[in-house]
Amino acid sequence: MRAEQFSKETWGRLIRVGSGKGSYWAYAPNPLPPPLQYDSELISALSAADRALGELSGLGRALPNPYLLARPLTAREAVLSSRIEGTQAELLDLYVYESGHQARTGAAVAPDTREVYQYIQAMEHALNRLRELPVSLRLIQETHRVLMEGMRGGYTAPGEFRTVQNWIGAPGCPIDEARFVPPPPDEMRQCLYQLENYLHAENSHPPLVRLALIHYQFEAIHPFLDGNGRMGRLLIILLMVHWGLLPSPLLYLSEYFERHRQAYYDLLLTVSTEARWRDWLLFFLHGVREQSIRAVETLRAIQSLQEGWRALVANAGVRSAVVARALELLIERPVLTARVLQQAAHCSHVAANSALAQLQELGILSVQGASRPRLYVAHELLRLLQSPM
């Protein structure tokens, strides 16, 4: 990281670490909030984002079980957030793993699939803990511990703030060629305490602006050895739920960040180098608007699909509590085995197999592969989730 990248308007300060050939520059952001000026374009973007998010929140509050319909969106977010970090796993891989199929057959699990699964586990852990804890450094550490549990390499220090310097750059690049070097460990801890204070302080900025500020600040501090990007994106939805902006985790920005990946990285960097908050805020607010609109469309499509399934079952004259339970479960888990349905419906293995066979006959499910136990897949729902929202 070169000192000449940073203008006099930099948001933060450069720190010279070491001396001689082994020295390098690091960067520590100033405490939030920065001075902001709301021009007409920024106000318009904020208003549009608020309206779109409000519509999504209203739809979520009208759902009989918003967490049930939120789960497929969480699974999609887990795949896309991990993909930004280079992880290659698909929704089908994730759902097959969740079904326990590989554990029962002894099949190998790809590390990428395990990473995506841990993202969902981390999200669910954090949402449960929000009933007892505010969003805080403690909750962030706990969530990171779940996120990184059992990850490959053994150097990720799950749940522990780093005690050594890290940096961002091309794989294998030395620190003096890094694109960005976050604060050294001692400075990092001070930055984290300041961020936690800001999380709990009274603030005059609108919530969506605060979210954009917090996301930048977390990424600039980069407090963990690994998983900072996923943890930073996960923090956005945790705060939305914690602040009451959404009733459940219905909005995710990873698809937007993935679609505009280079702009995402560049705009975060220019806040550090030139304090260009306005550009970053506009980008973030446009993302909230876009993804809120798309989330509404996707939720309505899922509802329509589920209603279509119920109509198919009713028209076929099928009256089975196990079939009805399977239709509910499919929204949460589009890949089922008889064992999974048996446990969820509290029925016999024979009844579970019969219900899945009936849904297969109706074209709602299809059998994936030839292995035992059989995997039943709701491909129509998977296609809906895998297509661009």
Side-chain angles (χ1 to χ4, degrees):
M1 191 174 77
R2 302 187 314 276
E4 55 267 28
Q5 287 178 267
F6 293 78
S7 72
K8 292 179 181 178
E9 287 74 37
T10 177
W11 173 253
R13 56 195 174 87
L14 289 174
I15 303 166
R16 189 69 172 173
V17 182
S19 59
K21 282 190 173 181
S23 65
Y24 58 89
W25 289 104
Y27 170 86
N30 289 333
L32 295 175
L36 296 176
Q37 293 184 341
Y38 290 86
D39 60 23
S40 59
E41 186 178 5
L42 192 54
I43 291 170
S44 176
L46 176 59
S47 178
D50 274 333
R51 283 197 305 273
L53 184 64
E55 183 180 356
L56 175 59
S57 179
L59 175 60
R61 294 179 200 285
L63 296 172
N65 187 345
Y67 276 91
L68 179 66
L69 279 177
R71 202 171 191 282
L73 300 185
T74 302
R76 179 184 172 84
E77 163 72 4
V79 169
L80 292 173
S81 186
S82 298
R83 190 171 294 167
I84 294 174
E85 308 302 322
T87 297
Q88 298 299 317
E90 299 296 336
L91 271 173
L92 181 59
D93 302 326
L94 170 65
Y95 284 125
V96 169
Y97 178 70
E98 279 195 323
S99 74
H101 183 265
Q102 288 149 315
R104 296 194 67 199
T105 61
V109 178
D112 284 3
T113 302
R114 171 75 181 184
E115 287 186 18
V116 172
Y117 175 75
Q118 288 304 126
Y119 187 100
I120 294 178
Q121 296 301 107
M123 172 65 74
E124 292 178 348
H125 171 85
L127 289 169
N128 287 330
R129 289 291 276 154
L130 278 179
R131 299 168 187 163
E132 305 163 3
L133 282 177
V135 176
S136 57
L137 296 184
R138 178 181 171 187
L139 181 60
I140 288 170
Q141 285 182 287
E142 281 189 16
T143 305
H144 184 265
R145 185 175 297 116
V146 178
L147 179 70
M148 303 305 293
E149 183 181 0
M151 291 298 101
R152 51 191 147 180
Y155 58 87
T156 56
E160 297 179 22
F161 293 131
R162 58 183 170 88
T163 57
V164 297
Q165 183 69 66
N166 58 355
W167 61 94
I168 300 168
C173 80
I175 193 168
D176 59 341
E177 295 178 15
R179 175 178 168 87
F180 181 76
V181 181
D186 289 345
E187 300 278 350
M188 175 208 74
R189 288 195 169 273
Q190 183 60 32
C191 290
L192 283 172
Y193 298 144
Q194 292 165 345
L195 176 58
E196 186 174 51
N197 288 338
Y198 181 73
L199 285 171
H200 301 151
E202 292 293 325
N203 195 275
S204 59
H205 291 305
L208 291 182
V209 171
R210 291 191 73 197
L211 279 175
L213 301 182
I214 290 165
H215 183 69
Y216 160 78
Q217 196 81 350
F218 184 86
E219 296 302 325
I221 296 170
H222 235 61
F224 297 107
L225 289 178
D226 197 9
N228 291 287
R230 278 166 287 170
M231 190 64 232
R233 290 184 287 276
L234 197 151
L235 187 57
I236 295 172
I237 190 63
L238 288 184
L239 287 168
M240 282 189 169
V241 174
H242 182 52
W243 292 347
L245 300 179
L246 288 173
S248 57
L250 296 169
L251 175 72
Y252 293 102
L253 291 176
S254 288
E255 183 188 31
Y256 178 78
F257 292 156
E258 164 71 10
R259 196 162 58 247
H260 305 284
R261 186 189 300 201
Q262 196 57 53
Y264 171 55
Y265 289 144
D266 290 345
L267 287 167
L268 286 173
L269 183 60
T270 56
V271 174
S272 300
T273 58
E274 302 173 43
R276 287 171 57 180
W277 285 106
R278 179 182 179 277
D279 293 346
W280 162 246
L281 290 173
L282 283 172
F283 176 81
F284 186 90
L285 293 171
H286 289 324
V288 171
R289 177 185 174 275
E290 277 191 30
Q291 294 309 116
S292 294
I293 292 170
R294 291 164 187 256
V296 167
E297 292 170 352
T298 302
L299 283 173
R300 286 178 174 157
I302 292 172
Q303 286 180 296
S304 177
L305 179 61
Q306 191 178 40
E307 288 166 6
W309 288 345
R310 287 173 178 152
L312 271 175
V313 168
N315 292 338
V318 176
R319 291 176 175 81
S320 162
V322 181
V323 169
R325 181 69 183 99
L327 292 182
E328 290 179 1
L329 194 60
L330 281 173
I331 298 301
E332 183 181 350
R333 296 185 171 201
V335 175
L336 291 180
T337 63
R339 183 183 181 88
V340 169
L341 180 56
Q342 179 186 357
Q343 292 173 342
H346 306 291
C347 64
S348 68
H349 194 74
V350 171
N353 265 320
S354 174
L356 292 171
Q358 286 177 299
L359 293 175
Q360 183 187 4
E361 288 175 13
L362 291 171
I364 294 171
L365 295 177
S366 57
V367 175
Q368 179 81 14
S371 61
R372 297 277 182 170
R374 281 186 170 181
L375 282 171
Y376 291 87
V377 183
H379 281 291
E380 196 172 359
L381 177 56
L382 278 180
R383 280 193 294 270
L384 191 159
L385 293 172
Q386 286 172 329
S387 62
M389 285 172 59

